[in-house]
Amino acid sequence: MTNVSNEQSGIIRTERGLMITGTRITLYDVMDYLKAQYPSKLIREKLGLNDEQINLALAYIDAHLAEIETEYQEFLQTAEEIRQYWQEQNRERFAKIAAMPTKVGQEALRAKLQSWKERITSQS
């Protein structure tokens, strides 16, 4: 693992990208919440960060916005390519699972799952 460290800022660069020192949280994780217009306090809570960590991350993003935005868009593109690859690799498996008969007593659970899937796809 290659670390390019800036210990003063609390942000390090690894093969996973820019990360908050001492965590497994990337700045791309923070960007997801910022793009969804979450307030910093909620981002801190969702990601399990302390005040200093979230403040450092937000300050770093603010100071390097153009660079971070470019990397974030590349990250999103790569994630979508990976998702599409695995969707294609598992197409037959998904079809077999979908064709399986519902077990007795799981109708309500399946209906709830289907509702959840529809809600997620409508948000995309």
Side-chain angles (χ1 to χ4, degrees):
M1 171 160 74
T2 305
N3 283 343
V4 177
S5 181
N6 182 355
E7 291 298 328
Q8 289 180 331
S9 72
I11 305 298
I12 59 172
R13 181 174 295 281
T14 69
E15 69 272 359
R16 293 183 61 216
L18 292 167
M19 298 182 70
I20 300 170
T21 303
T23 73
R24 294 183 50 93
I25 307 297
T26 67
L27 292 188
Y28 317 124
D29 296 324
V30 176
M31 288 290 289
D32 286 338
Y33 288 106
L34 288 174
K35 294 290 183 177
Q37 299 181 344
Y38 279 59
S40 61
K41 182 178 179 180
L42 190 53
I43 297 171
R44 180 182 57 80
E45 290 173 7
K46 291 274 189 187
L47 296 176
L49 301 172
N50 62 38
D51 287 333
E52 181 183 3
Q53 290 170 321
I54 191 64
N55 291 337
L56 287 170
L58 294 174
Y60 189 93
I61 290 169
D62 190 46
H64 302 91
L65 187 58
E67 172 191 343
I68 300 289
E69 185 65 38
T70 301
E71 288 184 34
Y72 179 67
Q73 292 305 318
E74 291 171 3
F75 169 80
L76 292 177
Q77 179 64 34
T78 301
E80 179 59 21
E81 290 169 2
I82 291 168
R83 188 198 64 76
Q84 288 177 1
Y85 171 82
W86 286 109
Q87 184 76 25
E88 182 62 32
Q89 292 295 312
N90 291 299
R91 182 180 312 277
E92 288 181 27
R93 180 173 289 141
F94 293 150
K96 286 179 184 177
I97 292 170
M100 293 173 69
T102 305
K103 293 181 181 177
V104 177
Q106 290 189 345
E107 296 84 6
L109 183 60
R110 286 211 179 254
K112 186 175 181 180
L113 178 61
Q114 184 61 35
S115 171
W116 183 62
K117 286 181 180 179
E118 290 169 1
R119 187 179 67 210
I120 288 173
T121 40
S122 70
Q123 293 174 356
S124 301

